[in-house]
Amino acid sequence: MSLSGIKIRIIGAGVGGLAAGLALAQRGAVVSVFEQAGVISEVGAGIQVGPNGVAVLRALGLESALREGAIRARAVELRDHRAGARVLRLDLDALGPDQPYFLVHRADLIDLLASAARAAGVRVRLLQKAEGVVPGKAPRISLANGAESRADLVIGADGVRSVVREVLNGVQAPFFTRQVAWRAMVPNVIGQGPEARVHMGPGRHIVSYPLRGGETLNIVAVQERAGWAEEGWHREDDPDNLRAAFSGFGGEVPEMLAAVERVALWGLFRHPVAPVWHRGHVAILGDAAHPTLPFMAQGAVMALEDAWVLAEELDRAGQIEAGLAAYQARREGRVKRIVGAANGNAWKYHLRFGPLRAAAHAALRLGGAVAPGAMSRQFDWIYRHDVTRGG
């Protein structure tokens, strides 16, 4: 069906919601995005955009603008926690010149998508908190201010606490993984170059990478512990708690952590992939459909892929329900594989038994020395998947 004139309402002005709004508006839909906040903004945070996400941004006409504000990553390095000795270096340039991998501040990506969406005719409505959705041929959104909005299609891009997901699937309680994460932004005091580094230690690890011309470092530190922390990364913590948790780390880590002045802490929860993604001209995408742990750096990229596939399948289908069914069929298997990979990845960084950790690191060093290409190609199923070419 043609999307020309189809009225679509999207709940949530994050990466997925704005990308979907842009992709749908470029195909002729009349799109409004409802955002509960008073401004479209993101707290300090970086994200990694692999080649599969860049493919979507390229198809949306945004790759050049992305390159202006992002850093092209050249490698991912795994390091031992004690002195920071390199265990393995994955060369991202080996992916090829047409497969760039970028490090970008989340706020910069949001600004890029919001500007492009508005230029394409998307209306972004702020201070519009959705409290409920009623599916049907003309689905209805109930807003906290007492207003209602009807459309031909409603899309929930409203994150892990999605109102729309609950309407479609009921309550699905996540469970605490016994892992917490701190997130901080600091000056690049160690002069880290264009690469992501993972410092691996017993029961914990730290990821760091540069942003915004290399002047800033994004830090994510994960620790296994029984103590619960709430989900969502807007809760502030004492930086000394972070430093204490990683006091046994050497190399460049102490200098990085000494520069932390503000830090957010959140609990890592595992959510099931939603079994129902659409009903009655209502659909979900991104974290609303398939929240993922951060251990594959694919959360935002999966939202970009969702946005493209949803718009493409709606555009080629004969009716809305058929387009939504094709969207879920095309996406569900891939996101389940991504979520599963992320669920199983943290333990590889957190080996506690010293001899086992030493043996594992030795195997990684050997693999990197003997067959560096093979070490990188294990991720081809993620990075070389291109939804804009039918993937």
Side-chain angles (χ1 to χ4, degrees):
M1 73 181 181
S2 170
L3 294 184
S4 180
I6 296 293
K7 294 180 181 179
I8 299 176
R9 304 289 181 261
I10 299 173
I11 301 171
V15 170
L18 291 169
L22 175 58
L24 290 161
Q26 288 178 340
R27 290 167 169 80
V30 178
V31 183
S32 293
V33 177
F34 291 176
E35 169 56 45
Q36 65 180 348
V39 294
I40 298 179
S41 64
E42 285 286 345
V43 297
I47 57 175
Q48 302 177 48
V49 183
N52 50 318
V54 177
V56 175
L57 295 172
R58 180 183 301 129
L60 292 172
L62 302 179
E63 184 181 9
S64 294
L66 175 69
R67 287 177 179 272
E68 292 177 6
I71 291 175
R72 181 165 182 174
R74 301 301 181 182
V76 175
E77 284 195 354
L78 305 184
R79 297 188 172 203
D80 183 75
H81 75 289
R82 287 165 296 190
R86 183 191 296 172
V87 174
L88 176 67
R89 179 180 174 88
L90 296 173
D91 182 9
L92 295 176
D93 284 337
L95 293 170
D98 61 336
Q99 297 283 303
Y101 191 115
F102 288 108
L103 309 170
V104 63
H105 197 292
R106 185 182 293 267
D108 295 342
L109 181 57
I110 291 288
D111 287 346
L112 176 64
L113 289 165
S115 296
R118 286 184 169 120
V122 175
R123 185 183 179 193
V124 180
R125 299 181 59 186
L126 305 176
L127 296 173
Q128 303 293 314
K129 182 179 180 180
E131 290 195 332
V133 174
V134 179
K137 292 294 184 182
R140 183 175 73 251
I141 302 172
S142 301
L143 300 169
N145 60 13
E148 291 187 344
S149 180
R150 290 182 179 271
D152 299 305
L153 172 62
V154 170
I155 299 169
D158 46 344
V160 295
R161 294 191 175 101
S162 171
V163 170
V164 186
R165 176 188 173 113
E166 187 169 326
V167 168
L168 297 179
N169 293 273
V171 177
Q172 297 175 303
F175 71 88
F176 182 45
T177 64
R178 293 181 175 266
Q179 297 177 96
V180 298
W182 289 269
R183 186 190 294 274
M185 302 276 287
V186 301
N188 190 357
V189 292
I190 62 173
Q192 182 169 331
E195 60 194 28
R197 295 177 184 168
V198 184
H199 295 260
M200 307 175 293
R204 57 210 192 279
H205 76 275
I206 293 182
V207 179
S208 64
Y209 52 85
L211 299 171
R212 291 179 167 170
E215 298 297 316
T216 301
L217 272 186
N218 186 75
I219 298 172
V220 179
V222 177
Q223 179 193 32
E224 296 176 5
R225 74 181 194 194
W228 178 87
E230 65 179 303
E231 191 171 26
W233 39 280
H234 297 282
R235 172 188 169 190
E236 286 203 25
D237 192 31
D238 187 335
D240 284 339
N241 293 335
L242 168 62
R243 286 186 274 267
F246 290 85
S247 59
F249 279 50
E252 62 200 15
V253 172
E255 187 177 3
M256 273 196 301
L257 297 188
V260 175
E261 296 181 353
R262 296 185 63 183
V263 65
L265 170 70
W266 79 105
L268 299 181
F269 286 73
R270 188 179 295 177
H271 298 253
V273 174
V276 179
W277 291 25
H278 66 93
R279 176 167 56 86
H281 292 208
V282 173
I284 49 178
L285 61 74
D287 281 349
H290 45 79
T292 181
L293 294 173
F295 304 131
M296 293 300 294
Q298 282 285 305
V301 175
M302 287 299 99
L304 289 171
E305 288 189 357
D306 283 355
W308 180 270
V309 173
L310 176 60
E312 186 171 72
E313 294 299 339
L314 284 169
D315 195 28
R316 69 168 48 143
Q319 56 171 313
I320 288 176
E321 284 291 346
L324 297 180
Y327 153 67
Q328 180 172 354
R330 189 168 153 193
R331 295 295 298 152
E332 190 171 15
R334 175 161 169 81
V335 300
K336 283 183 175 179
R337 189 178 180 190
I338 292 284
V339 169
N343 288 345
N345 216 31
W347 72 270
K348 300 174 185 177
Y349 302 150
H350 293 182
L351 295 173
R352 292 178 179 274
F353 184 52
L356 177 60
R357 185 171 64 251
H361 288 188
L364 287 171
R365 288 190 180 95
L366 180 62
V370 174
M375 299 296 286
S376 297
R377 285 194 297 273
Q378 65 182 306
F379 301 109
D380 279 358
W381 69 274
I382 298 176
Y383 299 142
R384 295 190 184 278
H385 188 94
D386 187 347
V387 296
T388 70
R389 298 183 178 181

